[in-house]
């Protein structure tokens, strides 16, 4: 290694590809993985040279600290292929910076930028055929890091494993989505790890989400932990509310994830003259807007789903349905974002990142 750069990324190619056995028209999100993965170990105080090898199991000690103290963080990204077979990433530096921000919060050593991008591009070129053309088709990219030191003392690990795995994807959610506003459970609290992509944030959501599903809802809109008076996030997405022609969304904080898609929607709204207010949004404000017929839309924004419209919501036993709109903000933002992601429109913001072949 010289000046923090890998001398060379070791590549071990798969002897055969699984791609011919995959039904790309009927993918279940996150269930199928490409032929290769990237691995990089942290030992003796530094990150080693990255290795790309065939996708497969890894071996860990039962006492590895990730199992006992939850030192694990991840990111979610996507690669898109345009009509000329060029492969693009969308705002990957934002994902990389957030990855290291999450690492710092979990006392994990920051990952080198050069390793991240050189390894990712090598991996994407190796599995390039898994990225299919056409709107809605993409390759979901999951970088993550786990604590691997053996030992059950309650202290940060001295060794870690960084990995990237990739999964071909179509639409994340299918069918209609309805949400319930949280009244008891919380996703995150002040001073906690809500702003980080910590694995435990998501594991803790599963139980209350299961309860919501029993009531006929697909997701929960989380409220603040102190009073449950303010709306913050929805499941794995940031959340937007359209009241009249105005767009409302909560500000980022140490409880709310600084979503890449969220930031992009806000920029697009401002660019196209759509009034947007980034402020705390009260539950009662949205309930009253729905009762008066002023609540036009709710939609989630995130990497996996891009933009996901919400058909209705529940609060304190009451159910509210949202109107069907021909020209919805959700449809507009999704089209604008996808046109940029798939290289079908000008990228005046510098969001696209070309993966060089």
């Amino acid at each position: 290694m010289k000046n923090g750069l890998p001398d060379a990324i070791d590549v071990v190619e798969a002897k055969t590809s699984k791609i011919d056995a995959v039904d790309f028209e009927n993918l279940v999100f996150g269930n199928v993985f490409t032929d290769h993965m990237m691995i990089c170990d942290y030992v003796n105080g530094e990150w080693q040279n990255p290795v790309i090898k065939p996708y497969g199991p890894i071996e860990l000690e039962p006492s590895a600290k990730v199992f006992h103290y939850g030192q694990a963080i991840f990111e979610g990204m996507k690669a898109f292929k345009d009509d000329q077979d060029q492969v693009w990433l969308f705002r990957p530096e934002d994902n990389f910076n957030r990855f290291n921000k999450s690492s710092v919060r979990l006392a994990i050593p920051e990952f080198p930028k050069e390793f991240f991008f050189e390894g990712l591009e090598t991996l994407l070129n190796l599995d390039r055929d898994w990225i299919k053309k056409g709107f809605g088709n993409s390759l979901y990219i999951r970088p993550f890091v786990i604590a691997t030191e053996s030992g059950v003392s309650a202290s940060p690990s001295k060794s870690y494993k960084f990995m990237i795995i990739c999964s071909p994807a179509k639409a994340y959610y299918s069918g209609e989505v309805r949400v319930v506003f949280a009244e008891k459970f919380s996703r995150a609290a002040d001073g906690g790890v809500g702003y980080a992509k910590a694995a435990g944030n998501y594991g803790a959501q599963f139980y209350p989400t299961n309860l919501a599903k029993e009531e006929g809802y697909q997701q929960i809109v989380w409220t603040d932990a102190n009073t449950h008076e303010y709306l913050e996030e929805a499941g794995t997405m940031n959340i937007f509310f359209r009241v009249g022609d105005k767009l409302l969304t909560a500000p980022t904080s140490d409880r709310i994830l600084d979503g890449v898609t969220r930031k992009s929607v806000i920029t697009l709204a401002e660019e196209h003259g759509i009034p947007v207010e980034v402020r705390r949004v009260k539950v009662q404000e949205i309930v009253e807007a729905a009762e008066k017929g002023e609540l036009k839309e709710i939609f989630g924004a995130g990497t996996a789903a891009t933009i996901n419209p919400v058909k209705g919501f529940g609060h304190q036993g009451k159910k509210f349905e949202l109107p069907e709109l021909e020209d919805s903000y959700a449809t507009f933002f999704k089209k604008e974002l996808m046109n940029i992601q798939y290289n079908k429109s000008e990228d005046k913001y510098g969001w696209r990142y070309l993966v060089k072949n």
Side-chain angles (χ1 to χ4, degrees):
M1 189 163 59
K2 298 175 183 177
N3 300 320
L5 288 166
D7 298 322
I9 295 176
D10 293 326
V11 177
V12 180
E13 292 194 39
K15 293 180 179 178
T16 58
S17 177
K18 304 171 291 187
I19 196 167
D20 290 338
V22 176
D23 181 358
F24 282 89
E25 293 304 313
N26 295 287
L27 292 169
V28 176
F29 183 83
N31 277 18
V32 175
F33 295 92
T34 63
D35 291 321
H36 299 90
M37 61 185 183
M38 173 181 162
I39 298 178
C40 188
D41 290 308
Y42 182 88
V43 292
N44 299 323
E46 66 177 3
W47 289 101
Q48 307 302 300
N49 243 42
V51 176
I52 291 174
K53 60 190 291 187
Y55 178 91
I58 59 173
E59 188 173 282
L60 293 174
E61 292 279 352
S63 55
K65 290 198 173 185
V66 65
F67 299 134
H68 303 274
Y69 302 110
Q71 258 189 300
I73 61 102
F74 68 94
E75 265 300 321
M77 308 167 64
K78 277 184 176 178
F80 308 89
K81 184 176 281 186
D82 67 19
D83 294 337
Q84 290 74 46
D85 286 326
Q86 296 180 111
V87 173
W88 301 88
L89 298 170
F90 183 74
R91 304 187 71 169
E93 291 219 8
D94 289 319
N95 291 105
F96 170 75
N97 291 335
R98 190 172 64 185
F99 188 89
N100 275 342
K101 186 178 179 182
S102 298
S103 292
V104 169
R105 183 61 181 86
L106 272 289
I108 296 170
E110 293 178 71
F111 196 69
K113 184 175 181 179
E114 294 80 7
F115 283 25
F116 186 91
F117 280 94
E118 187 167 341
L120 176 56
E121 291 194 54
T122 303
L123 178 62
L124 291 177
N125 278 314
L126 203 56
D127 285 340
R128 203 177 185 94
D129 290 344
W130 290 79
I131 312 170
K132 300 302 182 183
K133 290 186 284 191
F135 266 14
N137 295 320
S138 63
L139 188 72
Y140 183 77
I141 302 164
R142 172 55 63 90
F144 63 100
V145 62
I146 57 174
T148 56
E149 182 189 358
S150 174
V152 294
S153 61
S155 59
S157 178
K158 293 185 177 67
S159 60
Y160 298 88
K161 189 178 291 290
F162 170 93
M163 298 183 67
I164 300 178
I165 56 177
C166 302
S167 177
K170 291 183 81 69
Y172 184 58
Y173 292 108
S174 59
E176 296 182 346
V177 174
R178 288 174 175 79
V179 299
V180 63
F181 293 171
E183 297 177 59
K184 177 183 177 183
F185 295 99
S186 301
R187 177 189 175 274
D190 292 339
V193 296
Y195 69 88
K197 295 280 282 187
N201 286 350
Y202 299 84
Q205 292 185 26
F206 296 156
Y207 173 67
T209 302
N210 282 345
L211 296 180
K213 287 178 178 177
E214 290 174 5
E215 297 180 20
Y217 300 101
Q218 285 69 48
Q219 284 289 353
I220 296 175
V221 177
W222 301 102
T223 49
D224 69 291
N226 293 331
T227 66
H228 296 291
E229 291 180 7
Y230 295 93
L231 296 156
E232 297 197 332
E233 279 197 26
T236 58
M237 302 177 290
N238 295 112
I239 192 78
F240 287 85
F241 304 90
R242 177 185 175 183
V243 178
D245 289 330
K246 185 167 54 181
L247 206 56
L248 310 176
T249 194
T252 56
S253 65
D254 56 9
R255 300 184 311 278
I256 298 176
L257 195 71
D258 185 15
V260 175
T261 310
R262 171 191 175 275
K263 290 190 288 191
S264 305
V265 167
I266 292 170
T267 298
L268 289 170
E270 292 171 344
E271 175 77 16
H272 289 88
I274 296 172
V276 55
E277 294 183 6
V278 180
R279 61 171 174 80
R280 301 187 78 186
V281 181
K282 282 194 171 185
V283 171
Q284 197 56 38
E285 174 184 3
I286 298 304
V287 170
E288 289 177 3
E291 290 172 339
K292 294 176 182 177
E294 296 172 355
L295 180 64
K296 304 299 183 186
E297 292 181 71
I298 301 175
F299 59 88
T303 297
T306 308
I307 301 293
N308 203 83
V310 172
K311 301 291 290 186
F313 73 93
H315 178 61
Q316 294 185 344
K318 293 182 180 179
K319 294 187 177 182
F320 301 85
E321 289 294 299
L322 297 177
E324 294 279 350
L325 300 179
E326 287 187 14
D327 299 316
S328 70
Y329 283 179
T331 300
F332 171 77
F333 288 126
K334 186 165 189 173
K335 183 178 179 182
E336 288 288 312
L337 284 170
M338 292 178 76
N339 279 336
I340 294 172
Q341 290 167 339
Y342 290 88
N343 193 27
K344 289 184 177 292
S345 66
E346 179 190 0
D347 176 20
K348 63 177 72 173
Y349 315 102
W351 290 341
R352 271 197 305 263
Y353 177 102
L354 179 64
V355 176
K356 295 175 184 176
N357 196 348

